Every structure is written in structure tokens, then in C-alpha cells.
Amino acid sequence: MHTAAELAALYEAQKAIAARYVHATARGHEAVQLAAAFLLTGHDYATPYYRDDALLLGLGLRPYELLLQLLAKADDPFSGGRSYYAHPSLRRPGLPTMPHNSSATGMQAIPATGMAQGIKYLEGNYELAGAQNLEAPSEVIHNSIVLCSIGDGAMTEGEVSEALQMAVLHQLPIVYLVQDNDWGISATGREMRAMNAYELAAGFPGLHRLQVDGADFVASYETLADAFAHARQRRGPVLVHARVPLLGHHTSGVRREWYRGPNLAEHQQQDPLPRLHQQLLALGVPEQELTELAAEARATVQADWIAALAAPDPDPATFADHEFAPPAVTEEAGERAPAGAQKSLMVDAALHAVDDILREFPEALFYGQDVGGELGGVFREAALLAKKYGDRRVFNTPIQEAYIVGSTAGMSAVGARPIVEIQFADYIWPALNQLVEEISKSCYLTMGKFPVSTLIRVPVGAYGGGGPYHSGSIESTLLTIRGIKVVYPSNAADMKGLLRASFLDPNPVVLLEHKGLYWSKVPGTEDAKTPEPAAGYVIPLGVAAVAQAADPARVSGGESCVVITYGMGVHWARAASRDYPGRVEVLDLRTLNPLDWDAVQAAVRRHGKALVLTEEPLLNSFAESLAGRIQRHCFRQLDAPVFTLGAANLPAIPLNVELEKQMLPSAAKVSVALGELLRY
């Protein structure tokens, strides 16, 4: 506790240096944090939040290690200088596993709950894992729990309630430690909430709740010991509401004198350090021994500060390291068109690919809205899988898109391999917090320790009057999120190969699946049906395919062009090209990130004329961005400006089918654009 206090004092004394990067300290919170640290084991998991440096010290981390992160040094063990102070991400024998979590308030609750759900699943599947010759993850043993540390201000976030709902619904082994200092930056509790976390917990039957004076170490230890025992004995989740004082600044960037009044003096009376000092004296510990402990802490912190200041900064050349973990699939493998294979619908190819994965990989789960039970997905894309594999592996979730996506970060951290589904692209937006803040940044900010292995399936696209909330295309938004891969197949064979490769990839992959191609009912999409590849067939991500070649004589004569597209655009382009026999190549990107830029450049240089085609509204889209890049890098080989074609720039797709047709591209519209391009 002295060490935590000395660190906070050092940061204030050296604020000209220490406050170069933002930080917060545990001053006032040390007692309950240390109590939690001493109860965690090396088989547990934890998601500390940005005020938890005392928790980290209690787990055994040296002040020097925290100072390396404070100063953004190369040897920062968590992130190599990439992330803020007290943002741990650690796999170290003897310590609980701590995956990445962001500064976004309350966002850690969902990944933490996903960890607990993954632990519960893997515990019940050791026998299955052994039967498949799969070694169960060594970190996951019986009685492992998850500690989710969080501030009371964060409890008002809707995503926290989603996490609590799932923890209770599935009776998960997790302890939510809520540190309530009655402040959220400059706002007081009475301004922010109608109830505290303990009162909120009463609304979740099955959530065991406890209260404690979090500035009293002994009371905190006893209360948390009860909470941990409850969770370890698998009696369900626990919420511990700990009242603590806030003695320091909110952060180094928001100083207490800017907003604290007499309240600060009141809080100082609850300082856990002198309270523990008096308790130890009452227990007979000599005053001199306590004085020596304080001196020892001060000397350690001062020595570690000097050493950390002298530590090297990161090599600027490493700035781009760890964007992604190395892919598992690097070349096409398996039979794409086995002898005697019948043509398959895209939706069936996807179903069979998931079936193969669930059969082969016991750590795999599949969940989302309506994918379990009798229905098996609103598109029947999961038909009978729940009956075949049981509702522990294929199951329905509440209508909680944030939980569906964010829980996969926790699942991945404990060794489970989630496949999840957002029912319609138009409803993915509540999940973007988790996708952006927790999932996409994890590999980069943890120096590759915690890539999030997850496959997120999203039905997209318009056809036949789906209307404004079931027809959206979202790839441009997704492609602004760095650290995720985006895949978009156009036919059954690619669907099967890309889905499996996406599952095997150690990184987060969003698989966009066009509803209009699922059953090939839309005129002109018959070619989406292909002979179904054999089980195990894979296509590496980031490799485009020539969906239709042009006549070499037309190419050599300068009479051809290329359409660069994906998804439904492949079928519009092929249909439109019949008006220009032999003159149109169709390049199917298949993966939008990573993009096969080499294939794009090669195709443009072959023809000198290019049309980039998308179903999205065109303005500010991925298609326009790609066209601009082509213009920049292939300018000398171009015989015409790069053409683009997409949907009208409207906020939604109208319900009426005639209005829908007016808004969207079509084969006829593509044909007009091709005619203009070829004549240029």
C-alpha cells in the first residue's frame, strides 16, 4: 500500500515528466484492490481498469514495470509503449491472465463476461476435447474465475447491463468488483445515477451482491473471499460494491483542484493507508517495522523511477508491428470441385462449413439471435446445428449485439473459438463499441499476445423489398476500423473456403454474406450456385479471383476493361458484360481487408480501363477510395478515368421494390457504364 502511495506521490512531484502521457492512480482504492489481488490465482483471469495500479502491484508486478508503461518505454511488458498506464495485458506464469481492455468506460464488462462464459463451456468439454485429441487450454481449470474490476460510474452503461444479464442467465463464474468513489470525472454520483451498483444489482435475480467499506483492508479481504468462494464453487456471478475515497486526481489530465471542494477533505479522512497502519499497530506490529516498510517502498520507487527514465524508448521502425497475428491459411488447399459434386446454394455451403468446423473443433461455438433451438437462423443458415451439437455449443442470445460481438474477445482469451452472427447488417451498430475499442486494437496494443480469434457473420445487401432496416451494406464503415479483416464471398465455393479460413485465422474476421445470393432466387445470380467443395477446403484471405476473363485478342487490341467488384456486383457485372462479348474481365476481390492490391494493379494494367462497382451508396465509399488509389498508382497505364458505380447517396433503402430498383445498381446500369468506359 505504501508502494502505491509512493508512486502517486512521485507522479505529482515529477508531474512535468510523469504527466507527459495521461495516467490515473489508485490512491484511496488501494485496500480493496490489494485484497482482490491476494485472492486471485495464476489460473484466474482479470480485467483491471485504468485506476488499478495497486491491484497490479498486489499481483506481483514491480513498480519499474508500471513506470515503463507510464513513460511509454520499449520494455513496457504490456504494450511496448503503445498503451496507457495501468492498462495491462499479460500472460505470465503464476499471475492471472489479463487480456487487453480499453479506456472506454464500462466496455471491459462484456469481454470479461465472455471469458467467464468461455471458461464454463471449456470446463464441461474436457472429455470431448480428449476424444478429439485436443489439449484443453492449460489456463482453464476447474475453479478458475474472472475478476471484472470497474468503477461505479461505468455501471450506468447499457453494455454493463448486457453483461450482467448474460452472467445471470448462464450463471457464470465472475466477480464484478465495483469501486465506488462517488465521482465520474467532475460529476458526482447524485448527478449521474438514480441508484448505486448494489441497488442496481437487485434487478438481476441470481446475481449475488455484497457491500463493503473498500477503504478497510480486512473487511475488503473477508468480503472478497466470500465472493470468490461463491464464484469458484459455481454458485453463480457476484457483484461486490466497495465504497472508496478518491484521493488523487481523476487523471493527470483532470486535476482535483479544478473540481473538488470540501469533499476532498472528507475523502482524506477515509485514506486506507493510515487506517491499515492503525490496524497493524493494534495487532501488535511495531511502529519501527511499519516505518521501515514505508522507507523501503520509497527507496524502491525512487530507484525504479531512475531506472525507468534511463530505459530505451521504442524503436520507431517497430511502429507497425502486430497489426495482425500471422494468418493460419496461406494457400488454397482441398478440393474445390470434387468429382460428382452437386451444385450447392451459398446458404447451404455456409451451413456445411460451420457443421464441419463444429465437428472438428470442440473449442468452437456458434451463437447469436435465433441461430439455436428449432429455427436455426432466420435464413436457415444454422438449420439443425443446435440439435446436432447441443445448446451448449449452438445457442440463442438475447437481442444484445454488443454482447454477441464483445464476448468473443473474452472467449478467445480463454481458448474458445467463437462464431457469432449479427442477424442483419443494419443492427450491427450497437456492437461497434466492442468491435472498435476492444477487439480491433487488442493484437496491436498487446504486442501480439492477445489477437482476438473470432468470426462474425453478418447478412448484408438488398433485394426484393427488404426495406430500410434489412437491406444495408456496411463494408465502408467496417473498413475504417483497423485491426479487423473483412471478407465478402460471391458464390458457394468461395463461401465455404473463405468461411473456414476466416474461422482458422487468429484475427477478428467479419464475413459479409449477401442475402440476395443465399438462395440464387434473384434473376442473374444463378452462378452463385457452384459444385460444393469437399470438407476442409480453404481459400487464403486477401486473394482475389478472376470471375470472368476477357478475350486475349480483345485485350491485346486495347478493346477491353476490368470491373473490380465483390458480392452481388460480380453477378451484375457478368450479366452486363454479355452486351460486350469478350471485352470485360470481372475481378472478384473476395476479401476487402486484406485487399489483393497486386491483383487489382495487374488487372488495371492489363486493360487500361477500370470500373469499380459496389452496392453501397457511392459517395465516400470503399469503392471511391479504391478508385482513387488506382488513379494514383496506375495513372500511366490508364486510358480513361477510373469509373465508379454504386447506389444512390440516400440514407436508407426504401421499402417499395420500384423505389429500391431506382436506388440500387443493376446489370442494366452497369451495362450503360461499361459502354461509356469502353468508348472512352
Side-chain angles (χ1 to χ4, degrees), residues 79-107:
S79 71
R82 288 169 165 84
S83 198
Y84 297 121
Y85 177 77
H87 283 57
S89 56
L90 198 65
R91 292 187 189 273
R92 184 178 292 180
L95 270 66
T97 298
M98 292 178 278
H100 160 267
N101 60 268
S102 73
S103 290
T105 304
M107 295 304 100

PDB file of all heavy atoms in Angstrom, residues 79-107:
ATOM      1  N   SER A  79       2.499  -3.383 -23.427  1.00  0.00           N
ATOM      2  CA  SER A  79       2.206  -2.913 -24.787  1.00  0.00           C
ATOM      3  C   SER A  79       3.400  -2.351 -25.546  1.00  0.00           C
ATOM      4  O   SER A  79       3.243  -1.866 -26.664  1.00  0.00           O
ATOM      5  CB  SER A  79       1.108  -1.848 -24.732  1.00  0.00           C
ATOM      6  OG  SER A  79       1.603  -0.646 -24.163  1.00  0.00           O
ATOM      7  N   GLY A  80       4.575  -2.381 -24.942  1.00  0.00           N
ATOM      8  CA  GLY A  80       5.741  -1.855 -25.633  1.00  0.00           C
ATOM      9  C   GLY A  80       5.634  -0.378 -25.943  1.00  0.00           C
ATOM     10  O   GLY A  80       6.140   0.087 -26.965  1.00  0.00           O
ATOM     11  N   GLY A  81       4.980   0.375 -25.069  1.00  0.00           N
ATOM     12  CA  GLY A  81       4.856   1.807 -25.266  1.00  0.00           C
ATOM     13  C   GLY A  81       3.651   2.234 -26.063  1.00  0.00           C
ATOM     14  O   GLY A  81       3.536   3.406 -26.438  1.00  0.00           O
ATOM     15  N   ARG A  82       2.726   1.330 -26.295  1.00  0.00           N
ATOM     16  CA  ARG A  82       1.574   1.653 -27.137  1.00  0.00           C
ATOM     17  C   ARG A  82       0.353   2.110 -26.344  1.00  0.00           C
ATOM     18  O   ARG A  82      -0.504   2.806 -26.876  1.00  0.00           O
ATOM     19  CB  ARG A  82       1.185   0.435 -27.973  1.00  0.00           C
ATOM     20  CG  ARG A  82       2.144   0.094 -29.105  1.00  0.00           C
ATOM     21  CD  ARG A  82       1.809  -1.289 -29.684  1.00  0.00           C
ATOM     22  NE  ARG A  82       2.451  -1.534 -30.968  1.00  0.00           N
ATOM     23  CZ  ARG A  82       3.680  -1.976 -31.127  1.00  0.00           C
ATOM     24  NH1 ARG A  82       4.428  -2.217 -30.054  1.00  0.00           N
ATOM     25  NH2 ARG A  82       4.186  -2.171 -32.328  1.00  0.00           N
ATOM     26  N   SER A  83       0.247   1.686 -25.077  1.00  0.00           N
ATOM     27  CA  SER A  83      -0.995   1.948 -24.346  1.00  0.00           C
ATOM     28  C   SER A  83      -0.730   2.688 -23.047  1.00  0.00           C
ATOM     29  O   SER A  83       0.413   2.807 -22.587  1.00  0.00           O
ATOM     30  CB  SER A  83      -1.731   0.627 -24.059  1.00  0.00           C
ATOM     31  OG  SER A  83      -3.086   0.872 -23.733  1.00  0.00           O
ATOM     32  N   TYR A  84      -1.808   3.171 -22.430  1.00  0.00           N
ATOM     33  CA  TYR A  84      -1.717   3.988 -21.238  1.00  0.00           C
ATOM     34  C   TYR A  84      -1.255   3.204 -20.016  1.00  0.00           C
ATOM     35  O   TYR A  84      -1.315   1.977 -19.950  1.00  0.00           O
ATOM     36  CB  TYR A  84      -3.090   4.584 -20.912  1.00  0.00           C
ATOM     37  CG  TYR A  84      -3.670   5.516 -21.935  1.00  0.00           C
ATOM     38  CD1 TYR A  84      -4.891   5.235 -22.533  1.00  0.00           C
ATOM     39  CD2 TYR A  84      -3.025   6.695 -22.288  1.00  0.00           C
ATOM     40  CE1 TYR A  84      -5.450   6.097 -23.451  1.00  0.00           C
ATOM     41  CE2 TYR A  84      -3.579   7.566 -23.208  1.00  0.00           C
ATOM     42  CZ  TYR A  84      -4.788   7.266 -23.789  1.00  0.00           C
ATOM     43  OH  TYR A  84      -5.350   8.112 -24.694  1.00  0.00           O
ATOM     44  N   TYR A  85      -0.903   3.986 -18.991  1.00  0.00           N
ATOM     45  CA  TYR A  85      -0.549   3.456 -17.674  1.00  0.00           C
ATOM     46  C   TYR A  85      -1.696   2.620 -17.099  1.00  0.00           C
ATOM     47  O   TYR A  85      -2.870   2.968 -17.232  1.00  0.00           O
ATOM     48  CB  TYR A  85      -0.257   4.645 -16.758  1.00  0.00           C
ATOM     49  CG  TYR A  85       0.065   4.304 -15.331  1.00  0.00           C
ATOM     50  CD1 TYR A  85       1.311   3.813 -14.987  1.00  0.00           C
ATOM     51  CD2 TYR A  85      -0.866   4.495 -14.318  1.00  0.00           C
ATOM     52  CE1 TYR A  85       1.633   3.524 -13.664  1.00  0.00           C
ATOM     53  CE2 TYR A  85      -0.567   4.215 -12.998  1.00  0.00           C
ATOM     54  CZ  TYR A  85       0.695   3.722 -12.680  1.00  0.00           C
ATOM     55  OH  TYR A  85       1.007   3.438 -11.369  1.00  0.00           O
ATOM     56  N   ALA A  86      -1.312   1.524 -16.424  1.00  0.00           N
ATOM     57  CA  ALA A  86      -2.282   0.633 -15.767  1.00  0.00           C
ATOM     58  C   ALA A  86      -3.308   0.067 -16.742  1.00  0.00           C
ATOM     59  O   ALA A  86      -4.458  -0.166 -16.388  1.00  0.00           O
ATOM     60  CB  ALA A  86      -2.974   1.320 -14.587  1.00  0.00           C
ATOM     61  N   HIS A  87      -2.874  -0.145 -17.971  1.00  0.00           N
ATOM     62  CA  HIS A  87      -3.672  -0.877 -18.960  1.00  0.00           C
ATOM     63  C   HIS A  87      -2.931  -2.186 -19.243  1.00  0.00           C
ATOM     64  O   HIS A  87      -2.197  -2.304 -20.221  1.00  0.00           O
ATOM     65  CB  HIS A  87      -3.828  -0.066 -20.250  1.00  0.00           C
ATOM     66  CG  HIS A  87      -4.829   1.031 -20.174  1.00  0.00           C
ATOM     67  ND1 HIS A  87      -4.771   2.038 -19.239  1.00  0.00           N
ATOM     68  CD2 HIS A  87      -5.929   1.299 -20.930  1.00  0.00           C
ATOM     69  CE1 HIS A  87      -5.784   2.867 -19.411  1.00  0.00           C
ATOM     70  NE2 HIS A  87      -6.503   2.449 -20.427  1.00  0.00           N
ATOM     71  N   PRO A  88      -3.114  -3.173 -18.377  1.00  0.00           N
ATOM     72  CA  PRO A  88      -2.300  -4.381 -18.516  1.00  0.00           C
ATOM     73  C   PRO A  88      -2.809  -5.311 -19.607  1.00  0.00           C
ATOM     74  O   PRO A  88      -3.984  -5.320 -19.959  1.00  0.00           O
ATOM     75  CB  PRO A  88      -2.452  -5.047 -17.147  1.00  0.00           C
ATOM     76  CG  PRO A  88      -3.815  -4.635 -16.698  1.00  0.00           C
ATOM     77  CD  PRO A  88      -3.991  -3.224 -17.212  1.00  0.00           C
ATOM     78  N   SER A  89      -1.892  -6.059 -20.160  1.00  0.00           N
ATOM     79  CA  SER A  89      -2.222  -7.220 -20.990  1.00  0.00           C
ATOM     80  C   SER A  89      -1.066  -8.183 -20.776  1.00  0.00           C
ATOM     81  O   SER A  89       0.057  -7.910 -21.191  1.00  0.00           O
ATOM     82  CB  SER A  89      -2.370  -6.832 -22.464  1.00  0.00           C
ATOM     83  OG  SER A  89      -1.211  -6.188 -22.937  1.00  0.00           O
ATOM     84  N   LEU A  90      -1.343  -9.261 -20.092  1.00  0.00           N
ATOM     85  CA  LEU A  90      -0.241 -10.071 -19.584  1.00  0.00           C
ATOM     86  C   LEU A  90      -0.586 -11.550 -19.568  1.00  0.00           C
ATOM     87  O   LEU A  90      -1.671 -11.943 -19.139  1.00  0.00           O
ATOM     88  CB  LEU A  90       0.102  -9.611 -18.156  1.00  0.00           C
ATOM     89  CG  LEU A  90       1.462 -10.014 -17.603  1.00  0.00           C
ATOM     90  CD1 LEU A  90       2.589  -9.352 -18.395  1.00  0.00           C
ATOM     91  CD2 LEU A  90       1.561  -9.646 -16.129  1.00  0.00           C
ATOM     92  N   ARG A  91       0.358 -12.348 -20.067  1.00  0.00           N
ATOM     93  CA  ARG A  91       0.358 -13.799 -19.861  1.00  0.00           C
ATOM     94  C   ARG A  91       1.673 -14.105 -19.157  1.00  0.00           C
ATOM     95  O   ARG A  91       2.739 -14.098 -19.773  1.00  0.00           O
ATOM     96  CB  ARG A  91       0.305 -14.549 -21.194  1.00  0.00           C
ATOM     97  CG  ARG A  91      -0.989 -14.414 -21.975  1.00  0.00           C
ATOM     98  CD  ARG A  91      -0.953 -15.352 -23.172  1.00  0.00           C
ATOM     99  NE  ARG A  91      -2.040 -15.151 -24.101  1.00  0.00           N
ATOM    100  CZ  ARG A  91      -3.238 -15.729 -24.005  1.00  0.00           C
ATOM    101  NH1 ARG A  91      -3.500 -16.527 -22.986  1.00  0.00           N
ATOM    102  NH2 ARG A  91      -4.172 -15.499 -24.914  1.00  0.00           N
ATOM    103  N   ARG A  92       1.616 -14.376 -17.869  1.00  0.00           N
ATOM    104  CA  ARG A  92       2.826 -14.633 -17.091  1.00  0.00           C
ATOM    105  C   ARG A  92       2.530 -15.744 -16.096  1.00  0.00           C
ATOM    106  O   ARG A  92       1.550 -15.658 -15.348  1.00  0.00           O
ATOM    107  CB  ARG A  92       3.284 -13.375 -16.370  1.00  0.00           C
ATOM    108  CG  ARG A  92       4.590 -13.525 -15.603  1.00  0.00           C
ATOM    109  CD  ARG A  92       5.008 -12.212 -14.954  1.00  0.00           C
ATOM    110  NE  ARG A  92       5.385 -11.195 -15.924  1.00  0.00           N
ATOM    111  CZ  ARG A  92       5.777  -9.968 -15.586  1.00  0.00           C
ATOM    112  NH1 ARG A  92       5.837  -9.608 -14.315  1.00  0.00           N
ATOM    113  NH2 ARG A  92       6.103  -9.097 -16.530  1.00  0.00           N
ATOM    114  N   PRO A  93       3.349 -16.807 -16.088  1.00  0.00           N
ATOM    115  CA  PRO A  93       3.090 -17.920 -15.154  1.00  0.00           C
ATOM    116  C   PRO A  93       2.962 -17.420 -13.720  1.00  0.00           C
ATOM    117  O   PRO A  93       3.737 -16.583 -13.257  1.00  0.00           O
ATOM    118  CB  PRO A  93       4.337 -18.806 -15.332  1.00  0.00           C
ATOM    119  CG  PRO A  93       4.832 -18.504 -16.710  1.00  0.00           C
ATOM    120  CD  PRO A  93       4.541 -17.042 -16.927  1.00  0.00           C
ATOM    121  N   GLY A  94       1.943 -17.940 -13.043  1.00  0.00           N
ATOM    122  CA  GLY A  94       1.720 -17.590 -11.649  1.00  0.00           C
ATOM    123  C   GLY A  94       0.827 -16.391 -11.441  1.00  0.00           C
ATOM    124  O   GLY A  94       0.381 -16.137 -10.320  1.00  0.00           O
ATOM    125  N   LEU A  95       0.556 -15.624 -12.509  1.00  0.00           N
ATOM    126  CA  LEU A  95      -0.323 -14.468 -12.411  1.00  0.00           C
ATOM    127  C   LEU A  95      -1.589 -14.723 -13.205  1.00  0.00           C
ATOM    128  O   LEU A  95      -1.570 -15.471 -14.179  1.00  0.00           O
ATOM    129  CB  LEU A  95       0.361 -13.205 -12.958  1.00  0.00           C
ATOM    130  CG  LEU A  95       1.156 -12.359 -11.960  1.00  0.00           C
ATOM    131  CD1 LEU A  95       2.364 -13.134 -11.450  1.00  0.00           C
ATOM    132  CD2 LEU A  95       1.603 -11.059 -12.623  1.00  0.00           C
ATOM    133  N   PRO A  96      -2.695 -14.116 -12.794  1.00  0.00           N
ATOM    134  CA  PRO A  96      -3.906 -14.259 -13.614  1.00  0.00           C
ATOM    135  C   PRO A  96      -3.671 -13.693 -15.008  1.00  0.00           C
ATOM    136  O   PRO A  96      -2.908 -12.741 -15.190  1.00  0.00           O
ATOM    137  CB  PRO A  96      -4.961 -13.452 -12.855  1.00  0.00           C
ATOM    138  CG  PRO A  96      -4.200 -12.554 -11.952  1.00  0.00           C
ATOM    139  CD  PRO A  96      -2.930 -13.266 -11.615  1.00  0.00           C
ATOM    140  N   THR A  97      -4.320 -14.282 -15.991  1.00  0.00           N
ATOM    141  CA  THR A  97      -4.233 -13.789 -17.356  1.00  0.00           C
ATOM    142  C   THR A  97      -5.050 -12.504 -17.464  1.00  0.00           C
ATOM    143  O   THR A  97      -6.191 -12.444 -17.023  1.00  0.00           O
ATOM    144  CB  THR A  97      -4.764 -14.836 -18.338  1.00  0.00           C
ATOM    145  OG1 THR A  97      -3.950 -16.010 -18.232  1.00  0.00           O
ATOM    146  CG2 THR A  97      -4.723 -14.331 -19.769  1.00  0.00           C
ATOM    147  N   MET A  98      -4.430 -11.493 -18.060  1.00  0.00           N
ATOM    148  CA  MET A  98      -5.091 -10.197 -18.192  1.00  0.00           C
ATOM    149  C   MET A  98      -5.069  -9.785 -19.655  1.00  0.00           C
ATOM    150  O   MET A  98      -4.068  -9.259 -20.138  1.00  0.00           O
ATOM    151  CB  MET A  98      -4.394  -9.157 -17.317  1.00  0.00           C
ATOM    152  CG  MET A  98      -4.571  -9.404 -15.828  1.00  0.00           C
ATOM    153  SD  MET A  98      -3.688  -8.210 -14.777  1.00  0.00           S
ATOM    154  CE  MET A  98      -2.037  -8.913 -14.795  1.00  0.00           C
ATOM    155  N   PRO A  99      -6.140 -10.037 -20.403  1.00  0.00           N
ATOM    156  CA  PRO A  99      -6.193  -9.606 -21.802  1.00  0.00           C
ATOM    157  C   PRO A  99      -6.303  -8.092 -21.909  1.00  0.00           C
ATOM    158  O   PRO A  99      -6.506  -7.387 -20.916  1.00  0.00           O
ATOM    159  CB  PRO A  99      -7.465 -10.284 -22.339  1.00  0.00           C
ATOM    160  CG  PRO A  99      -7.829 -11.310 -21.316  1.00  0.00           C
ATOM    161  CD  PRO A  99      -7.328 -10.788 -20.013  1.00  0.00           C
ATOM    162  N   HIS A 100      -6.176  -7.614 -23.125  1.00  0.00           N
ATOM    163  CA  HIS A 100      -6.358  -6.184 -23.388  1.00  0.00           C
ATOM    164  C   HIS A 100      -7.757  -5.726 -23.009  1.00  0.00           C
ATOM    165  O   HIS A 100      -8.738  -6.429 -23.232  1.00  0.00           O
ATOM    166  CB  HIS A 100      -6.140  -5.909 -24.884  1.00  0.00           C
ATOM    167  CG  HIS A 100      -6.732  -4.615 -25.366  1.00  0.00           C
ATOM    168  ND1 HIS A 100      -8.001  -4.535 -25.916  1.00  0.00           N
ATOM    169  CD2 HIS A 100      -6.242  -3.353 -25.376  1.00  0.00           C
ATOM    170  CE1 HIS A 100      -8.259  -3.283 -26.246  1.00  0.00           C
ATOM    171  NE2 HIS A 100      -7.224  -2.552 -25.944  1.00  0.00           N
ATOM    172  N   ASN A 101      -7.846  -4.577 -22.364  1.00  0.00           N
ATOM    173  CA  ASN A 101      -9.120  -3.864 -22.348  1.00  0.00           C
ATOM    174  C   ASN A 101      -8.844  -2.375 -22.432  1.00  0.00           C
ATOM    175  O   ASN A 101      -7.789  -1.894 -22.037  1.00  0.00           O
ATOM    176  CB  ASN A 101     -10.002  -4.206 -21.147  1.00  0.00           C
ATOM    177  CG  ASN A 101      -9.383  -3.906 -19.814  1.00  0.00           C
ATOM    178  OD1 ASN A 101      -8.745  -4.754 -19.221  1.00  0.00           O
ATOM    179  ND2 ASN A 101      -9.557  -2.696 -19.312  1.00  0.00           N
ATOM    180  N   SER A 102      -9.787  -1.660 -22.988  1.00  0.00           N
ATOM    181  CA  SER A 102      -9.565  -0.269 -23.372  1.00  0.00           C
ATOM    182  C   SER A 102      -9.855   0.678 -22.224  1.00  0.00           C
ATOM    183  O   SER A 102     -10.243   0.277 -21.129  1.00  0.00           O
ATOM    184  CB  SER A 102     -10.464   0.077 -24.558  1.00  0.00           C
ATOM    185  OG  SER A 102     -11.805   0.181 -24.120  1.00  0.00           O
ATOM    186  N   SER A 103      -9.696   1.972 -22.508  1.00  0.00           N
ATOM    187  CA  SER A 103     -10.088   3.011 -21.551  1.00  0.00           C
ATOM    188  C   SER A 103     -11.565   3.347 -21.646  1.00  0.00           C
ATOM    189  O   SER A 103     -12.068   4.117 -20.830  1.00  0.00           O
ATOM    190  CB  SER A 103      -9.286   4.291 -21.814  1.00  0.00           C
ATOM    191  OG  SER A 103      -7.944   4.131 -21.464  1.00  0.00           O
ATOM    192  N   ALA A 104     -12.256   2.814 -22.652  1.00  0.00           N
ATOM    193  CA  ALA A 104     -13.665   3.146 -22.838  1.00  0.00           C
ATOM    194  C   ALA A 104     -14.463   2.663 -21.630  1.00  0.00           C
ATOM    195  O   ALA A 104     -14.456   1.484 -21.298  1.00  0.00           O
ATOM    196  CB  ALA A 104     -14.182   2.508 -24.127  1.00  0.00           C
ATOM    197  N   THR A 105     -15.162   3.562 -20.996  1.00  0.00           N
ATOM    198  CA  THR A 105     -15.768   3.298 -19.699  1.00  0.00           C
ATOM    199  C   THR A 105     -16.790   2.162 -19.753  1.00  0.00           C
ATOM    200  O   THR A 105     -17.757   2.223 -20.519  1.00  0.00           O
ATOM    201  CB  THR A 105     -16.455   4.570 -19.178  1.00  0.00           C
ATOM    202  OG1 THR A 105     -15.488   5.615 -19.141  1.00  0.00           O
ATOM    203  CG2 THR A 105     -17.023   4.358 -17.795  1.00  0.00           C
ATOM    204  N   GLY A 106     -16.562   1.148 -18.945  1.00  0.00           N
ATOM    205  CA  GLY A 106     -17.509   0.044 -18.827  1.00  0.00           C
ATOM    206  C   GLY A 106     -17.391  -1.017 -19.891  1.00  0.00           C
ATOM    207  O   GLY A 106     -18.047  -2.060 -19.808  1.00  0.00           O
ATOM    208  N   MET A 107     -16.552  -0.798 -20.903  1.00  0.00           N
ATOM    209  CA  MET A 107     -16.508  -1.751 -22.016  1.00  0.00           C
ATOM    210  C   MET A 107     -15.925  -3.092 -21.613  1.00  0.00           C
ATOM    211  O   MET A 107     -16.179  -4.104 -22.254  1.00  0.00           O
ATOM    212  CB  MET A 107     -15.693  -1.175 -23.180  1.00  0.00           C
ATOM    213  CG  MET A 107     -16.288   0.056 -23.844  1.00  0.00           C
ATOM    214  SD  MET A 107     -17.971  -0.173 -24.458  1.00  0.00           S
ATOM    215  CE  MET A 107     -18.908   0.601 -23.140  1.00  0.00           C
TER     216      MET A 107
END
